[in-house]
Amino acid sequence: MIRPFTLLALMALSLAACRDEAASGGGGVRQQIKAVGSSTVYPFTTIVAEQFLANTPDARPPVIESTGTGAGMKLFCAGIGAAHPDIANASRRMKRAEYDICAKNGAGQVLEIQIGIDGIAFAESRHGAKMSLTSADLYLALAATPHGRPNTARTWRDVNPALPATRIQVYGPPSTSGTRDALAELILAPGCEQVDPQAKALHKHDASAFALRCQRIREDGAYIDAGENDNLIVQKLAANPDAIGVFGFSYLAENENTVLGVPINGVAPSYATIADGQYPGARPLYIYVKKAHLRAVPGLREFIAQYAKLWGAGGPLVRRGLIAAPPAIEARSTALIRNETPLDPRALK
């Protein structure tokens, strides 16, 4: 068993490596900030990096990778030191199981910073059928086993006679994506509870059975894994007017000349409907930062302080598609950055 003092000494040595030794892999000096994770949060962190460099001309350009939230958390929680990222971008909250891995690897002191709000936008080509869907429609179209039986729906009319008889083709993110997790939790699960009499009891008494019945996405070609590049989904929609795509609202806002938001439960995705909670796919966005790395990585404190300067209403992140968080949440996140308050894992599920 490693004694606490020994563990602290090992952490100090690792941090010294992060501070004094370079940037590639496990050897050499890393003088630049490294972020991984959500493709939805990626463009916002990129804008912050650009502003950080403009204000800190001697800094090395941050390295920002779009890996998906799940894959990003895996990299982030693997340890501390030069070989491991400083920031995880996340389009959902960290899971308790992920935090436990972080803690096991010496990275348990993390800051959880909500940067704003986003919506899981459903979109189609401007030359498409002008679809309007419900959570129940999407559950019946995309769940692997609606009502506990294998999904046999092939067209939208199979799930709702009011919809067109076009083939179900939904381009969306992979299983490592926080956007896909949010799709399952915010859209499919409520849709399941609306149409399946057994779902609410399962949700209350057997979470695993509920997830299997209500949240598992079909793998027979109706849902098409388009990877972590949301711009690629936009391109696929432009080429295929019969398809629907799923991505963060910022990509819809940026490509409104090409694609159109699909209303869910009668509410179209927009800045206003996501901000006030009307749109059913609204969700918080986060960055997670290793507290130990704040002392070790040049410019990391300044970088997250820069985030707080840019996320407000009317700021550059909102112009790029972020939905500004309510003032109370912005104030809490700003105080958390100022005080470097670590996440309390008891709040996680």
Side-chain angles (χ1 to χ4, degrees):
M1 181 174 123
I2 299 177
R3 295 182 179 180
F5 179 81
T6 307
L7 179 58
L8 287 172
L10 289 171
M11 289 172 64
L13 286 171
S14 181
L15 286 171
C18 188
R19 183 184 296 111
D20 298 328
E21 294 183 8
S24 31
V29 184
R30 178 153 76 76
Q31 293 296 327
Q32 77 268 59
I33 295 160
K34 184 173 183 181
V36 295
S38 166
S39 62
T40 300
V41 180
Y42 170 84
F44 307 131
T45 301
T46 299
I47 290 170
V48 174
E50 292 169 355
Q51 192 65 51
F52 167 75
L53 285 174
N55 296 335
T56 318
D58 295 334
R60 295 277 300 277
V63 176
I64 305 166
E65 298 179 24
S66 176
T67 63
T69 298
M73 287 293 182
K74 186 174 181 180
L75 293 167
F76 179 78
C77 288
I80 58 171
H84 306 288
D86 313 306
I87 298 171
N89 298 322
S91 58
R92 59 160 171 80
R93 199 174 196 192
M94 178 183 275
K95 298 175 182 178
R96 180 58 192 257
E98 291 168 334
Y99 177 88
D100 290 343
I101 294 170
C102 269
K104 178 182 177 182
N105 292 327
Q109 291 277 297
V110 298
L111 278 58
E112 178 187 70
I113 303 165
Q114 184 176 338
I115 65 164
I117 304 171
D118 181 48
I120 310 161
F122 291 80
E124 64 179 333
S125 164
R126 283 193 165 271
H127 303 292
K130 306 298 186 292
M131 298 276 275
S132 182
L133 301 170
T134 66
S135 298
D137 294 335
L138 287 162
Y139 164 68
L140 294 171
L142 298 181
T145 54
H147 299 289
R149 298 183 295 272
N151 199 330
T152 59
R154 292 292 172 263
T155 72
W156 288 105
R157 186 164 293 172
D158 292 338
V159 303
N160 183 341
L163 296 175
T166 52
R167 188 159 58 99
I168 299 168
Q169 300 173 82
V170 178
Y171 293 107
S175 59
T176 54
S177 169
T179 298
R180 179 153 157 174
D181 291 338
L183 165 64
E185 293 169 13
L186 300 178
I187 303 296
L188 299 192
C192 178
E193 291 186 347
Q194 288 171 24
V195 299
D196 188 337
Q198 299 181 38
K200 288 185 178 179
L202 277 178
H203 203 174
K204 187 175 181 180
H205 300 294
D206 192 339
S208 296
F210 177 82
L212 192 65
R213 187 182 186 99
C214 295
Q215 296 176 283
R216 187 163 62 95
I217 293 176
R218 64 195 295 185
E219 299 178 348
D220 59 356
Y223 181 91
I224 304 157
D225 180 341
E228 292 290 354
N229 186 346
D230 292 339
N231 283 314
L232 182 61
I233 298 178
V234 174
Q235 294 170 23
K236 288 181 179 296
L237 296 181
N240 183 359
D242 291 333
I244 287 175
V246 185
F247 38 62
F249 172 74
S250 64
Y251 288 88
L252 174 61
E254 189 179 51
N255 295 281
E256 58 186 6
N257 292 330
T258 305
V259 295
L260 200 63
V262 174
I264 306 299
N265 301 338
V267 181
S270 70
Y271 187 100
T273 59
I274 294 168
D276 66 13
Q278 288 186 63
Y279 184 69
R283 57 177 175 169
L285 298 178
Y286 301 93
I287 59 170
Y288 291 85
V289 185
K290 289 172 184 163
K291 185 170 181 177
H293 283 207
L294 291 170
R295 301 190 299 272
V297 178
L300 184 57
R301 277 193 175 100
E302 292 78 8
F303 186 90
I304 61 172
Q306 186 71 62
Y307 230 121
K309 295 175 183 176
L310 302 181
W311 65 36
L317 301 189
V318 170
R319 291 196 295 272
R320 177 59 175 80
L322 182 72
I323 310 296
I329 292 177
E330 285 189 357
R332 185 178 65 196
S333 293
T334 301
L336 192 153
I337 291 171
R338 182 176 61 250
N339 299 324
E340 298 180 4
T341 307
L343 168 67
D344 182 347
R346 292 175 296 180
L348 301 177
K349 296 179 181 180

